Amino acid sequence: MSLEEKLKLYRINPSEYETIKDILGREPQGVEWAVFSALWSEHCSYKSSKVHLKKLFSQSERVLQSFGENAGIVDLGEEEKVAFKMESHNHPSFIEPYQGAATGVGGILRDIFTMGARPMALANYLCFGEPQANRMKELVDGVVRGIGGYGNCVGVPCLTGQTNFHKSYNENILVNAMAVGLFTKGDPICLSQAQGVGNYVVYVGAKTGRDGVHGASMASESFDEDSESKRPTVQIGDPFYEKLLIESCLEVMKKDLVVAIQDMGAAGLTSSSFEMADKGNVGLTLNLDQVPLRDETMTPEEILLSESQERMLLICEPSRFEELKKVFEYWGLDAACVGEVIEDPIVRLIWKGETLTEMSPKAVVDNAPQYNRPFNPWQRKDDSTFTNSSAESENIEDLKNILSRVEAGTKEWVYRQYDQRVGASTARDCSSPVGVSALPSGRGLGIVLGCRPHVMRQDAWIGGMDSIAYPAIELASKGFEVLATTDCLNFGNPEKQEVMSEFVASLDGMNKACEAFVTPIISGNVSFYNETLDKGVSPTPSTGLVGLRPHLKNLPQSSFVKEGESVLLITLGKGLSSGFWSEIQDKDSKINFQEDLSELATRTKTLTQATLDLPLSSSRIVSSFGLAYTLSKMTFENGLGVEIQFQGSPFVEPFYQVVISTNDPEKWKTAFKSEELLVEEIGKVKGSHFKWNNVSFEVAELKEIYEGSWQKSLPGI
Amino acid sequence: MSKVGVLRFPGTNCDRDIWKSIELKGKTPQWIWYEDSFNEDDYEAFLVPGGFSYGDYLRSGALAALSPSMESLRKADEKGKPIFGICNGFQILCEAGLLPGALMRNEKGRFIDQWVDLELSNESQWSPYEVGKVYRMPMAHADGRFFINEEGLNDLKANKQVWLTYKNNPNGSVSDIAGVMNKRGNVVGMMPHPDRALFDWMGSVDGLQFFDWKGEN
Amino acid sequence: MKLALKILPKPEVLDTQGRAVQTTLSTHGFDLKECHVGKYIVLEVNTQDPAEGMEMAKAMAEKGLVNPLIEYYEVESL
Amino acid sequence: MKLALKILPKPEVLDTQGRAVQTTLSTHGFDLKECHVGKYIVLEVNTQDPAEGMEMAKAMAEKGLVNPLIEYYEVESL
Ligand SMILES: Nc1ncnc2c1ncn2[C@@H]1O[C@H](COP(=O)(O)OP(=O)(O)O)[C@@H](O)[C@H]1O
Ligand SMILES: [Mg+2]
């Protein structure tokens, strides 16, 4: 193979090749190519994003573990902690939707229980193309079945999600999965630093096959016409095996039998072994011939790069090995000793007694390339003349057209296929804007996902800010104090200046909002190269926010519950977007957000406290498609109508307002000085009609449209 | 006080939920691992929890039904001990022949998580006992379509072995059957989850009534 | 030697998978009079004797690979 | 005429069902060198011509009954 071909196969560019030669003092040989290819891939090295990620707000009093480990950890007090993280599986899901999405769920769960936390909740953020686009029905069906197939089987409930549709995802769907795990009293936190010279390196879980060889470097490239021929063997997830792995790993951790542990994710054994050695400042020997194989003809290189699922690498003291092995045997899994911790800080790869190479993990990991790719300073698109009164008049009759669209209609088809209650701790399922799990202490843990791609398309900075502020306010509207955030930054090709500019701008928007709302980003994932044939996806920095509520009493509903109650509109900020409906109609995009974020955050805190203290039946943030759409959704569940008097556009989208219903509006109105919160009474829960000023619709009719939108757009699935 | 045996198989995932349900009723649960035979007299009653034993591979419940613990459970049945299978536990009891019929893929071919109303059709040895009363709780399964051939169905009805029926059949089960019992009424099984309807914050407390049995100490 | 079990839903059982496949195929212009979806299980046993292999396959089917309430089967030697 | 598709996971792809079935059978004294679980789909098509029937079955397999990324198949005429 010529050098050029080699560089192409291993996706190493010429300047990186020069660095490799400097590190080694010679040409790379044999498996060294594979090691560099894997560890220096965008996916493993974050080479295009690291300089920017370093700036993220990532600490608070509650944060026990931030970036750098498999997942971040937050202290909830009362001897409870949660670990959580979000990850993308976009390319594999586009190739094979069922397995791609399923293994995405499997991977994120391993990140959580590797730390010693028992997985307690899942969430998923999905972006599909237009329903009529090529393969789209198959993709929607496969992805949702895959997520359900895996999550249901391992027994972790799905508590929330978001499903978007837009043409920019026609050739590149996004599948992001988030997992949350719980530590209760006495559960140890386990890390991935290899330690203790002479300790065993132990391989547990499924046998290694050729699955996904070269997968990590593939995820670091755009799709092109010959992607087809580059396809690695599809990784198959086995949730049954994962369940056994969860139980056995948690047991050995609790019995204190492991010194360090790391799942084998992208770039499999290579990245887990090098990272464990690097973090622990020690070396490892790895006898590749002792790795349990599914196919005995595999080469050392394939073993190093395999992305077979449901495997873990751990470090164990020799004297505890038999006990550890017994635990795995009880659960029907094998544990094989494949190496040893050594003092020399090198990873020695051995094949049938022969040393293939010795490499310093520090040299490989710390010298991974870092690019400060060119970007432009962001020009905000704010139009200060754009206010609710200047907004183009909208026709309330359009409400029916909006409700009939797949973007606005019910997503029940999706979440009905997910077990939302296994674990017997679900207080609010996917039908609620905030998923809520009951903690053993009796408190509530709230989970909500953020990022509205249509706002991102309007302005990347505001969109990034909104990815944090919007879910934070959703949590507040249910009485949750926001704790921390995870993210999954899905963008196109970072080598394009406009993509990088959007990346930097949205990260800055997110970061500012995180600081203001005090919700540090404690874990996350970057997925670049979401583009096909030169066309990139909408910039999509999805987020997952977690909040805490002191108790589950009077947790507000999200629909009207009682005839005669008052409907109040609470304004937290004055910003405004022309909105999703305007975009769908191809109208000019208008946006205006000139808020002081710290004031917005203060008002949000006031709201959180009010939802706990004041009489409250239901609450909802004014969402995409605006106030009238939001209010109409509150009528469906119980078939209770509403009469609204409101002078303003029905479908523009405020940054931010919240609607509540209460039996005691006076308490709300008198509780705040207007600079704290602006509270207006806009109507009453009444009858069986949705009445907007003088225009009236039957709730039953609107509901039918809302519930029929999925089948209308995606018939037959 | 005597113990309630909770059977666990590789892939069982509602085991801890059942444990909590039993404790909530002031009883003492104890694990029974699939590889272990046991003495049926050590336990007062048995629960087979839901989940995905063996990943639902081959047929839901089929591989678990072959476990050594199930041989002991058969002996417990011969002695008339109360045995209750929920969801995958119901599937396992059917596959093992401790309950009549089979549970097949839902009519629409998909997993369904939703709330259901169940009517108690006949009294078994397992509570509740009030025939005609309706209970609300969640269900979550892909293979919950109860099937039995015509002759078998006639027998079930004649012997009053239909335990629970759906008010709105969600999955195509014959005669809306959500739960059945054996002839003696000591073995019962149901697809929906009483273990997920125990507290107000769960949305219903009706499930609490499903963890008692006749002749309890 | 290798054998296979062909397992199909009994005629009196509603074969929902078969029905779904038939419907999908018909939207693609394939007209089927009938369609059934079952299982195909390949077993490689430790014998070369066809009769013994057949016995083993049957024993496994009866041990639980097949549920006679809803399925019937046939053994094929490969 | 009737035909059948025998669909199996590709050899290089992990067969999760086969693995679980094999393990369980082995604890019951059935020692298998290999075990794979696939699908068996019976199709009754509107033709009596074997060659045409075969073509139709293949077309259906390729239209979506078989996922070529993870499965392979064979047509059998019944
Ligand atoms: N992929 C998904 N997984 C789980 N739940 C989802 C998913 N997509 C949407 N949902 C749920 O569907 C409900 C409706 O979603 P959406 O239309 O975005 O409105 P909302 O403003 O209420 O979040 C939400 O409660 C959301 O959690
Ligand atoms: Mg939402």
Side-chain angles (χ1 to χ4, degrees):
Chain A
M1 209 186 296
S2 73
L3 178 61
E4 208 170 293
E5 283 166 343
K6 259 201 166 139
L7 292 176
K8 194 155 184 249
L9 173 70
Y10 291 104
R11 294 176 183 102
I12 289 169
N13 73 29
S15 82
E16 290 167 358
Y17 174 66
E18 292 305 318
T19 319
I20 293 174
K21 282 200 296 188
D22 285 347
I23 294 171
L24 296 174
R26 57 172 165 78
E27 304 264 323
Q29 289 161 3
V31 294
E32 289 165 359
W33 280 98
V35 170
F36 280 105
S37 170
L39 293 173
W40 286 17
S41 66
E42 185 72 55
H43 196 88
C44 293
S45 72
Y46 290 86
K47 59 189 168 191
S48 303
S49 56
K50 211 167 208 163
V51 287
H52 302 287
L53 295 179
K54 279 186 195 150
K55 296 178 203 151
L56 287 179
F57 174 66
S58 63
Q59 294 296 337
S60 79
E61 277 165 23
R62 288 190 181 273
V63 176
L64 298 177
Q65 182 66 56
S66 199
F67 291 122
E69 276 293 337
N70 290 297
I73 302 178
V74 172
D75 192 351
L76 307 179
E78 301 186 27
E79 306 202 77
E80 291 171 334
K81 309 175 191 81
V82 284
F84 59 91
K85 186 179 179 197
M86 195 166 183
E87 202 158 72
S88 67
H89 231 208
N90 305 337
H91 283 205
S93 302
F94 191 72
I95 294 171
E96 211 308 297
Y98 185 98
Q99 292 299 338
T103 52
V105 173
I108 193 64
L109 286 171
R110 281 192 294 285
D111 277 332
I112 298 304
F113 70 79
T114 323
M115 311 231 28
R118 177 173 282 278
M120 62 175 291
L122 283 166
N124 61 106
Y125 182 97
L126 310 175
C127 295
F128 296 114
E130 295 159 297
Q132 71 278 11
N134 186 31
R135 285 182 69 213
M136 203 48 65
K137 279 207 282 194
E138 171 207 327
L139 290 169
V140 172
D141 184 45
V143 164
V144 171
R145 276 185 197 267
I147 291 172
Y150 206 101
N152 300 346
C153 183
V154 291
V156 182
C158 179
L159 292 190
T160 190
Q162 196 169 313
T163 309
N164 302 305
F165 292 87
H166 186 260
K167 61 174 187 270
S168 73
Y169 306 108
N170 280 0
E171 304 284 337
N172 197 316
I173 60 171
L174 303 184
V175 176
N176 297 174
M178 173 180 174
V180 185
L182 178 67
F183 297 89
T184 51
K185 193 176 172 190
D187 295 340
I189 294 179
C190 292
L191 302 177
S192 60
Q193 285 121 312
Q195 269 166 13
V197 172
N199 282 345
Y200 288 169
V201 179
V202 180
Y203 171 114
V204 297
K207 292 191 169 79
T208 296
R210 286 203 175 79
D211 318 33
V213 171
H214 290 297
S217 43
M218 168 131 165
S220 308
E221 213 181 49
S222 312
F223 273 133
D224 57 26
E225 267 133 357
D226 52 295
S227 295
E228 196 94 13
S229 58
K230 285 191 278 193
R231 276 177 186 172
T233 305
V234 173
Q235 310 161 34
I236 305 286
D238 188 347
F240 167 57
Y241 235 69
E242 178 104 334
K243 171 67 175 165
L244 303 175
L245 208 51
I246 293 177
E247 297 304 333
S248 52
C249 286
L250 292 179
E251 190 174 327
V252 293
M253 292 185 222
K254 202 146 191 175
K255 289 186 169 159
D256 201 17
L257 299 175
V258 292
V259 173
I261 182 165
Q262 166 80 38
D263 65 302
M264 291 189 230
L269 192 54
T270 311
S271 82
S272 51
S273 56
F274 275 74
E275 280 170 19
M276 288 180 91
D278 177 44
K279 283 188 189 146
N281 287 314
V282 292
L284 300 177
T285 60
L286 270 188
N287 297 294
L288 294 173
D289 50 296
Q290 276 159 33
V291 170
L293 298 182
R294 216 162 70 218
D295 178 344
E296 295 298 332
T297 66
M298 286 179 71
T299 64
E301 174 169 326
E302 288 171 327
I303 295 169
L304 278 170
L305 292 183
S306 162
E307 296 192 349
S308 289
Q309 302 290 300
E310 292 95 23
R311 303 178 302 160
M312 310 288 263
L313 200 63
L314 56 86
I315 307 291
C316 155
E317 287 172 20
S319 62
R320 319 296 302 270
F321 181 61
E322 282 311 312
E323 203 182 339
L324 177 117
K325 216 170 139 93
K326 270 214 194 91
V327 174
F328 285 104
E329 259 162 28
Y330 177 89
W331 291 100
L333 300 175
D334 294 327
C337 177
V338 296
E340 216 173 89
V341 177
I342 53 176
E343 196 167 343
D344 252 5
I346 50 163
V347 173
R348 185 177 298 140
L349 300 173
I350 301 165
W351 180 250
K352 299 183 177 159
E354 241 176 79
T355 298
L356 297 176
T357 181
E358 292 182 348
M359 294 166 94
S360 148
K362 273 259 156 328
V364 181
V365 175
D366 296 356
N367 287 316
Q370 273 193 33
Y371 299 120
N372 193 350
R373 302 205 184 269
F375 62 91
N376 302 320
W378 194 248
Q379 298 295 321
R380 288 263 300 266
K381 315 272 191 328
D382 300 73
D383 171 358
S384 59
T385 65
F386 182 58
T387 62
N388 202 319
S389 47
S390 76
E392 193 176 338
S393 67
E394 290 165 320
N395 184 356
I396 185 67
E397 294 288 343
D398 274 347
L399 181 57
K400 288 189 193 170
N401 295 326
I402 292 173
L403 289 169
S404 76
R405 295 195 59 95
V406 71
E407 296 92 335
T410 173
K411 307 296 183 289
E412 194 186 347
W413 181 92
V414 175
Y415 58 75
R416 238 167 91 90
Q417 299 184 57
Y418 303 152
D419 192 332
Q420 299 159 61
R421 271 164 275 268
V422 56
S425 51
T426 301
R428 286 285 185 274
D429 61 17
C430 291
S431 67
S432 155
V434 175
V436 181
S437 184
L439 292 165
S441 60
R443 297 176 297 169
L445 194 78
I447 306 171
V448 59
L449 304 188
C451 184
R452 297 189 289 169
H454 75 277
V455 183
M456 288 298 308
R457 289 190 289 273
Q458 287 190 283
D459 185 293
W461 191 94
I462 299 176
M465 178 285 301
D466 181 75
S467 302
I468 302 296
Y470 184 95
I473 293 166
E474 284 188 287
L475 284 168
S477 74
K478 303 291 179 190
F480 288 84
E481 173 204 349
V482 53
L483 297 176
T485 298
T486 182
D487 65 25
C488 192
L489 308 171
N490 308 272
F491 287 78
N493 182 348
E495 295 157 45
K496 291 185 178 163
Q497 195 150 336
E498 64 282 11
V499 171
M500 206 58 209
S501 306
E502 286 172 337
F503 178 79
V504 175
S506 56
L507 216 55
D508 186 53
M510 285 169 76
N511 205 27
K512 296 265 161 41
C514 285
E515 275 170 9
F517 284 87
V518 197
T519 176
I521 298 183
I522 60 164
S523 60
N525 170 241
V526 180
S527 169
F528 277 129
Y529 299 98
N530 287 290
E531 70 166 20
T532 300
L533 298 174
D534 222 29
K535 279 207 305 252
V537 297
S538 301
T540 314
S542 65
T543 58
L545 274 67
V546 170
L548 186 65
R549 199 178 195 273
H551 55 76
L552 290 170
K553 276 174 290 179
N554 306 323
L555 188 58
Q557 298 293 329
S558 305
S559 301
F560 298 131
V561 290
K562 201 146 180 260
E563 174 97 17
E565 290 197 332
S566 296
V567 179
L568 308 184
L569 182 65
I570 300 172
T571 299
L572 301 166
K574 291 257 160 78
L576 196 68
S577 152
S578 50
F580 206 176
W581 179 234
S582 154
E583 183 193 84
I584 287 171
Q585 292 173 297
D586 271 330
K587 295 196 173 153
D588 286 346
S589 156
K590 294 221 167 112
I591 196 158
N592 182 17
F593 180 84
Q594 284 156 353
E595 291 293 322
D596 179 333
L597 277 170
S598 68
E599 273 174 30
L600 181 64
T602 306
R603 282 181 230 123
T604 302
K605 267 223 165 91
T606 308
L607 174 68
T608 313
Q609 200 53 47
T611 59
L612 291 169
D613 296 344
L614 300 180
L616 175 62
S617 298
S618 69
S619 62
R620 232 178 221 279
I621 191 170
V622 177
S623 66
S624 306
F625 298 105
L627 181 61
Y629 166 80
T630 302
L631 287 162
S632 75
K633 284 217 291 197
M634 297 177 82
T635 66
F636 299 153
E637 190 185 0
N638 301 314
L640 279 173
V642 68
E643 285 186 0
I644 298 295
Q645 289 296 322
F646 185 77
Q647 302 316 313
S649 279
F651 308 129
V652 292
E653 300 170 10
F655 300 114
Y656 294 95
Q657 290 175 326
V658 169
V659 180
I660 65 158
S661 70
T662 172
N663 61 13
D664 197 343
E666 292 316 311
K667 272 227 174 82
W668 280 84
K669 283 191 249 176
T670 53
F672 309 105
K673 295 190 230 84
S674 67
E675 64 270 26
E676 278 179 333
L677 283 184
L678 179 62
V679 180
E680 300 163 78
E681 181 157 357
I682 56 169
K684 283 239 180 312
V685 178
K686 191 159 179 245
S688 59
H689 283 72
F690 175 82
K691 207 162 165 233
W692 179 269
N693 299 325
N694 302 323
V695 184
S696 171
F697 306 90
E698 255 184 72
V699 168
E701 189 196 350
L702 296 182
K703 184 178 174 183
E704 202 178 305
I705 297 173
Y706 177 73
E707 289 179 348
S709 60
W710 187 275
Q711 278 307 324
K712 187 178 137 273
S713 310
L714 294 148
I717 67 169
Chain B
M1 192 201 185
S2 76
K3 293 162 289 196
V4 183
V6 180
L7 278 72
R8 294 172 106 185
F9 304 88
T12 299
N13 66 28
C14 303
D15 41 352
R16 301 162 81 241
D17 308 355
I18 291 293
W19 185 278
K20 279 187 262 172
S21 312
I22 297 171
E23 279 188 337
L24 200 61
K25 302 288 288 196
K27 305 175 203 214
T28 312
Q30 187 165 324
W31 298 131
I32 297 174
W33 186 231
Y34 80 110
E35 283 179 305
D36 300 334
S37 305
F38 57 86
N39 180 353
E40 61 279 3
D41 293 326
D42 289 348
Y43 305 91
E44 194 182 336
F46 299 90
L47 270 148
V48 192
F52 281 71
S53 59
Y54 292 94
D56 270 3
Y57 296 145
L58 192 64
R59 292 179 312 279
S60 302
L63 297 177
L66 300 175
S67 307
S69 64
M70 290 302 290
E71 287 311 314
S72 304
L73 194 68
R74 232 181 276 280
K75 293 209 194 94
D77 168 37
E78 281 160 18
K79 291 205 176 159
K81 296 261 179 183
I83 298 170
F84 180 15
I86 297 169
C87 198
N88 186 230
F90 182 20
Q91 295 162 341
I92 295 170
L93 292 176
C94 287
E95 280 285 348
L98 288 172
L99 284 173
L103 292 148
M104 303 185 65
R105 181 52 45 102
N106 293 344
E107 195 169 13
K108 296 261 164 64
R110 291 186 190 278
F111 187 98
I112 305 173
D113 175 314
Q114 69 170 60
W115 287 83
V116 287
D117 290 329
L118 301 172
E119 184 175 324
L120 192 80
S121 303
N122 289 290
E123 194 181 329
S124 75
Q125 286 188 35
W126 213 280
S127 81
Y129 310 113
E130 207 179 314
V131 171
K133 214 175 156 212
V134 175
Y135 302 88
R136 185 168 172 74
M137 64 188 71
M139 66 165 233
H141 59 246
D143 297 328
R145 175 166 57 103
F146 184 77
F147 174 81
I148 192 162
N149 64 18
E150 216 173 302
E151 199 191 325
L153 184 63
N154 291 336
D155 280 354
L156 272 192
K157 288 187 172 161
N159 298 328
K160 300 195 165 223
Q161 284 175 257
V162 176
W163 188 33
L164 295 156
T165 50
Y166 298 107
K167 298 300 279 180
N168 278 305
N169 193 336
N171 55 18
S173 293
V174 295
S175 287
D176 305 326
I177 291 174
V180 296
M181 65 184 103
N182 66 351
K183 280 211 178 99
R184 227 185 327 185
N186 63 311
V187 184
V188 297
M190 66 191 291
M191 284 312 296
H193 279 281
D195 46 328
R196 300 180 187 180
L198 303 174
F199 297 98
D200 279 322
W201 54 259
M202 288 182 169
S204 163
V205 293
D206 292 357
L208 274 176
Q209 299 173 59
F210 284 70
F211 297 94
D212 299 306
W213 55 90
K214 283 184 187 163
E216 225 173 300
N217 294 330
Chain C
M1 68 176 292
K2 274 193 191 183
L3 302 112
L5 299 179
K6 301 172 180 173
I7 308 174
L8 283 166
K10 279 187 166 179
E12 75 251 40
V13 170
L14 173 66
D15 177 10
T16 52
Q17 264 186 295
R19 188 176 63 181
V21 170
Q22 190 166 359
T23 315
T24 315
L25 285 173
S26 82
T27 67
H28 287 104
F30 296 105
D31 235 9
L32 292 177
K33 284 209 225 151
E34 243 184 77
C35 174
H36 291 291
V37 178
K39 284 192 200 97
Y40 191 68
I41 306 185
V42 176
L43 305 162
E44 185 170 354
V45 295
N46 262 326
T47 178
Q48 293 306 328
D49 176 19
E52 196 188 348
M54 187 62 82
E55 279 318 301
M56 287 164 119
K58 279 192 185 154
M60 287 184 257
E62 261 129 59
K63 184 77 207 176
L65 293 186
V66 177
N67 181 344
L69 291 176
I70 48 177
E71 296 168 326
Y72 68 99
Y73 76 100
E74 219 176 81
V75 188
E76 179 188 13
S77 29
L78 298 176
Chain D
M1 68 177 294
K2 275 195 191 180
L3 301 112
L5 300 179
K6 301 172 180 174
I7 307 174
L8 283 167
K10 282 185 172 181
E12 70 267 28
V13 159
L14 171 68
D15 177 9
T16 56
Q17 289 208 68
R19 176 165 73 178
V21 170
Q22 184 169 0
T23 314
T24 310
L25 285 173
S26 82
T27 66
H28 286 91
F30 296 104
D31 231 8
L32 295 177
K33 284 208 225 153
E34 248 184 73
C35 172
H36 292 292
V37 179
K39 278 189 218 128
Y40 190 68
I41 305 185
V42 177
L43 306 161
E44 185 169 356
V45 294
N46 261 325
T47 177
Q48 293 307 324
D49 177 18
E52 196 187 351
M54 187 63 80
E55 279 317 301
M56 287 166 119
K58 279 192 187 158
M60 288 184 256
E62 261 130 59
K63 195 72 212 177
L65 294 187
V66 177
N67 180 347
L69 290 176
I70 51 181
E71 297 170 326
Y72 70 99
Y73 74 101
E74 221 175 79
V75 188
E76 178 186 12
S77 31
L78 298 177

